[in-house]
Amino acid sequence: MQKKHILTCCLSFFFLTFLTEQATHAQAKKGERPNIIVFLVDDMGWQDTSVPFWKQVTELNKKYHTPNMERLAREGMKFTNAYAMPVCTPTRVSLITGVNAAHHRVTHWTSPNQNTNTDYPDTTLQSVDWNINGFSPVPNIPHTFYGTSLPAVLSQHGYYTVHSGKAHFGSAGTPGSDPIQVGFHVNIAGNEIGHPASYLGQTNFDRVANGKSNRNAVQGLEAYHGKDVFLTDVITTEALKALKKPISEKKPFFLHLSHYAIHIPLDADKRFMDRYLKAGLDSTEAKYASLIEGMDKSLGDVLQFLDDQKLADNTVIIFMSDNGGLSTTPARGGEAWTHNLPLKAGKGSVYEGGIREPMLVRWPGMVKPKSVAEQYVIVEDFYPTILDIAGIKKPKLIQKLDGISFLPQLKNASLTNAERQLVWHHPNRWIPAEGPNIHFASAFRKGDWKLIYDYRKGKLELYNLKTDIGEHFDVAASNPKLVKQLAQSFTKQLKTWNAQLPVFKKTGKQVAWPDEVVGQ
Amino acid sequence: MQKKHILTCCLSFFFLTFLTEQATHAQAKKGERPNIIVFLVDDMGWQDTSVPFWKQVTELNKKYHTPNMERLAREGMKFTNAYAMPVCTPTRVSLITGVNAAHHRVTHWTSPNQNTNTDYPDTTLQSVDWNINGFSPVPNIPHTFYGTSLPAVLSQHGYYTVHSGKAHFGSAGTPGSDPIQVGFHVNIAGNEIGHPASYLGQTNFDRVANGKSNRNAVQGLEAYHGKDVFLTDVITTEALKALKKPISEKKPFFLHLSHYAIHIPLDADKRFMDRYLKAGLDSTEAKYASLIEGMDKSLGDVLQFLDDQKLADNTVIIFMSDNGGLSTTPARGGEAWTHNLPLKAGKGSVYEGGIREPMLVRWPGMVKPKSVAEQYVIVEDFYPTILDIAGIKKPKLIQKLDGISFLPQLKNASLTNAERQLVWHHPNRWIPAEGPNIHFASAFRKGDWKLIYDYRKGKLELYNLKTDIGEHFDVAASNPKLVKQLAQSFTKQLKTWNAQLPVFKKTGKQVAWPDEVVGQ
């Protein structure tokens, strides 16, 4: 008994020492507010990385090489149930407002051109009057959601805020198209466009046709025109350059490093092509994988920069993508809707392949290395979380936040809340082709259960994500009570947000609310 | 140290006692050769059971109720990588001959009618001259494989052998159509037919149309005609009745309890329908599930019989299915090729869904309860294994066995051999519709690797079953050396067996051997 007691004491002492050291480590930086980097990738799928986000290493994981994401996972926390919206602008607006898409009404991707509805015409449903011009930092701009942006709050509270890369917060001619007006101190190459005309400096990031410049030529990088440089690299270099000022002034910074990669056009990042061609990938998929590795190289450059500047310990990095991996063929190689397996479907869909994202967070001293959080989180949670990280309490905001801070999970990965309710609302038609719930569909998650509502069919599907991550087995018919409960909660939430529902062209009647189709 | 030593001694003593008891238990039956039951189900898929054969409980597992299979898994060993052929007769012939289908040349299902090729005509390929009349226990029967059947060997060595249910070893008018001529002492309801006209006693197990009896009316059960009984139950009752004789005479028995269930027609087993209709299954899938539960009830009756007769301890039961679950729609409900998920495809295909089977073995005192064997085994292994179990050494056989005994695995579930090579050979066209490698395809497994050869495309696919059980990611292009090695081994094996390859109709040329298409 004596020995056992001594051992317990030793262990207690060890843990106390360990905890004290941890606390000291964090406290060393007390007073210094942490720098915050949101590293956002465009169109990157849940499996587009060598970091396994599922319970096993998949063939897709083996296809890609992302050593710097692996490093981030090793040094930080992996979120295996992180979500965005099925297309990009809704996600980006949720990120900078903390508001759900059903609520901010930017439910679809905004055209670079003002007052242009990007919904593809549908024969059955009339699309909703959504905020087709995106986010606005200024009131009374037609068809926009007006709010206090995350960079604006951070700027107001002493952060030096830098945007680099794709913005796509609002359409041209509205204040939301300009990251400076949105609230950033610095804007590098961001405006109303949702993807680049080209990734190549040699073509001035443009794709001239018939002597005319492309609408999506990337602006603001004239210094690189004609040079043999790749867009992913350029916006990284420029972003890190812009950080010199707050670093020298000892001000905390917020960097929104928002890659155009890996959105189409699939220009080969020739620095990385060889590996994939040698591995037998077709040229399309090799280009895609090269874009991924180029993006990962950017992450490596950021990590190296932080090391060199001795800032790694006081900088939080959040890695995220804005929607599921594109899985139509073309533009992808191989077989359609297989690019996010085991998840179903891809970009555009409310099935998991369209919304589940690779998310990583590193925060030395606060976030445990190699930790894994299974609690589901969603992109509007970034706003309140980042306010928490920055220590900004009760800021004055125009909008009411829908997101919930995941700071508790960052401190303790095992915290879960199966009562949390998530909503994806996409009352829009994405593309001409049909595909797995890529048009006019919404979804609702609570615990392991996911309800999917196809507005054109007027049908609810129910999946158990724990046993059926591939959403192959609709168990709605065998769980009528549960479907009813979930449909009621789903409807209540949609109504609370005054969500918009499409209308049948034939009858002029609005589609039913989820709880109205139960038992039909 | 003293205490630790005592503890070690106690443990050693405990284990010695335990092992001695185990040995005594087995030895108590020494001299008595074990009874052997092969419980064979028709068309049952890998997931058509509440016993999880994958690493997780799936929605399909949750759909079915097979409490007696659960009991068998609890009391015995589960084989998670057990294989049969993609269609039934090849499997049945392999089972009773120990020979691979590429070798016995019954590569497709035999017609009940003699000299009838069941290959559906194909525009590209001419089917091979396979053994369309099936197995024969007598030489010089045209288009048959002649060999010494498993029941014949067992009968010669003192076993009382009973067949009950579907036989389908050979076509009508050949000796192979008759289980008695094949080598069984007793035949209950087995002949040349591959599925029943009906499961219902009330219709005399027939399906009369235009006043004419159906070709597949089940024969030999006249005592049950007009009665409210279900075929699955009847062949169980009759099988157990037939065992009374060897039991009273204290002779070991071999029972081939070979269910017609769950092959189409999907007649509802009304004893079990309620549960599935209440659970919201469509009527087709409810009928399918009721057939499964009826089959499981049969297993329960067998287990109860063994308990009642105090024979459980000296009886080996091997549970198996003859090919993957049918997954065309119709006849199945729901979406085609989803009925064996996570496996790809279903009956007819050389993808896993067509060949991987739910296999269980109980042998008290020899097989550890709740054990799981991951070594891949194939149906031709049953023959040498059963000879081992029966203690029959070096019997005189007409054919050379291709199977390998899995008795070592029964004694030690952890034994594995990644060098083992398995072959599936199906140079035939199954049905009018196209589907995932359900026509003219062969496959080869070694370790975790599986090579698939589509004869019409002249293309090899490579899958890693460990990371990609769903066979979604063809990694042939990225593993050219491995493909070459496997194709060489595959070709060598096919040539050793003098396997038949189809011929292009246009050119009259035989398709290439697997090693000839490498690098093309």
Side-chain angles (χ1 to χ4, degrees), chain B residues 41-48 82-88 91 262-264 288 292 320-328 332 337 339-341 343-358 424 430 438:
Chain B
V41 191
D42 197 16
D43 279 8
M44 181 182 178
W46 194 54
Q47 293 289 301
D48 292 348
Y83 290 104
M85 295 295 117
V87 292
C88 61
T91 290
I262 54 166
H263 198 296
I264 54 169
Y288 188 89
I292 291 276
M320 184 65 169
S321 172
D322 70 341
N323 48 245
L326 182 69
S327 195
T328 53
R332 295 294 298 274
W337 311 117
H339 302 86
N340 300 293
L341 286 170
L343 306 185
K344 189 170 182 171
K347 180 179 179 178
S349 179
V350 294
Y351 286 125
E352 295 288 299
I355 56 178
R356 201 182 279 222
E357 309 302 335
W424 297 265
W430 181 40
I438 57 175

Side-chain angles (χ1 to χ4, degrees), chain A residues 248-314:
Chain A
S248 67
E249 293 175 4
K250 299 202 184 301
K251 278 181 80 171
F253 62 78
F254 171 66
L255 170 61
H256 184 237
L257 182 42
S258 173
H259 280 291
Y260 282 101
I262 53 165
H263 197 296
I264 54 169
L266 300 185
D267 289 331
D269 191 333
K270 60 185 182 186
R271 299 172 294 171
F272 307 105
M273 279 293 279
D274 264 13
R275 181 202 301 275
Y276 303 103
L277 291 173
K278 275 186 191 150
L281 272 65
D282 67 46
S283 70
T284 305
E285 288 302 290
K287 287 174 188 168
Y288 188 89
S290 80
L291 281 167
I292 291 275
E293 191 167 346
M295 170 284 294
D296 185 77
K297 160 75 162 57
S298 160
L299 178 63
D301 291 345
V302 171
L303 297 178
Q304 188 60 50
F305 175 85
L306 295 175
D307 288 343
D308 293 346
Q309 299 286 330
K310 304 199 190 312
L311 289 175
D313 278 357
N314 200 32

Side-chain angles (χ1 to χ4, degrees), chain A residues 107-154:
Chain A
T107 53
H108 205 44
W109 66 278
T110 55
S111 169
N113 303 321
Q114 207 175 342
N115 300 325
T116 306
N117 189 336
T118 57
D119 274 15
Y120 188 83
D122 186 72
T123 52
T124 307
L125 294 180
Q126 185 66 50
S127 73
V128 301
D129 179 27
W130 62 282
N131 280 324
I132 56 175
N133 288 327
F135 168 76
S136 178
V138 172
N140 303 320
I141 306 293
H143 304 299
T144 62
F145 177 73
Y146 167 51
T148 309
S149 82
L150 179 62
V153 187
L154 292 167

Side-chain angles (χ1 to χ4, degrees), chain A residues 197-374:
Chain A
S198 161
Y199 285 91
L200 308 176
Q202 284 165 325
T203 65
N204 307 339
F205 311 109
D206 195 359
R207 196 168 296 257
V208 175
N210 301 322
K212 284 179 72 178
S213 177
N214 189 291
R215 173 69 185 89
N216 279 28
V218 181
Q219 304 298 321
L221 299 175
E222 289 70 20
Y224 293 90
H225 282 192
K227 293 190 176 162
D228 185 13
V229 289
F230 205 79
L231 181 56
T232 307
D233 224 28
V234 169
I235 66 168
T236 310
T237 307
E238 289 298 310
L240 298 179
K241 237 189 252 175
L243 296 184
K244 295 266 164 85
K245 183 175 154 72
I247 292 169
S248 67
E249 293 175 4
K250 299 202 184 301
K251 278 181 80 171
F253 62 78
F254 171 66
L255 170 61
H256 184 237
L257 182 42
S258 173
H259 280 291
Y260 282 101
I262 53 165
H263 197 296
I264 54 169
L266 300 185
D267 289 331
D269 191 333
K270 60 185 182 186
R271 299 172 294 171
F272 307 105
M273 279 293 279
D274 264 13
R275 181 202 301 275
Y276 303 103
L277 291 173
K278 275 186 191 150
L281 272 65
D282 67 46
S283 70
T284 305
E285 288 302 290
K287 287 174 188 168
Y288 188 89
S290 80
L291 281 167
I292 291 275
E293 191 167 346
M295 170 284 294
D296 185 77
K297 160 75 162 57
S298 160
L299 178 63
D301 291 345
V302 171
L303 297 178
Q304 188 60 50
F305 175 85
L306 295 175
D307 288 343
D308 293 346
Q309 299 286 330
K310 304 199 190 312
L311 289 175
D313 278 357
N314 200 32
T315 302
V316 184
I317 308 182
I318 312 182
F319 182 102
M320 185 65 169
S321 173
D322 70 341
N323 48 244
L326 182 67
S327 195
T328 53
T329 54
R332 295 292 298 274
E335 193 186 336
W337 311 117
T338 63
H339 301 87
N340 300 292
L341 285 171
L343 306 186
K344 189 171 183 171
K347 181 178 180 178
S349 179
V350 294
Y351 286 125
E352 295 287 299
I355 56 177
R356 200 182 280 222
E357 309 302 335
M359 178 176 159
L360 300 165
V361 182
R362 188 183 80 168
W363 189 2
M366 288 295 274
V367 163
K368 204 176 151 191
K370 289 188 195 165
S371 52
V372 179
E374 292 186 2

Side-chain angles (χ1 to χ4, degrees), chain B residues 465-514:
Chain B
L465 295 178
K466 191 167 184 181
T467 55
D468 180 25
I469 200 171
E471 294 167 295
H472 293 293
F473 301 99
D474 174 7
V475 295
S478 47
N479 295 278
K481 273 187 199 164
L482 180 61
V483 169
K484 196 174 175 183
Q485 283 167 11
L486 294 171
Q488 283 169 346
S489 305
F490 189 12
T491 304
K492 194 176 165 193
Q493 185 59 75
L494 288 173
K495 286 183 175 174
T496 301
W497 285 334
N498 201 11
Q500 300 168 299
L501 295 189
V503 160
F504 286 105
K505 282 186 164 170
K506 216 171 179 176
T507 61
K509 281 179 70 177
Q510 183 179 279
V511 301
W513 292 97

Side-chain angles (χ1 to χ4, degrees), chain A residues 42-62:
Chain A
D42 198 15
D43 279 7
M44 181 181 178
W46 193 54
Q47 293 290 300
D48 292 348
T49 165
S50 48
V51 175
F53 278 86
W54 194 34
K55 61 190 169 187
Q56 69 167 63
V57 176
T58 65
E59 284 299 324
L60 286 172
N61 296 146
K62 288 159 71 182

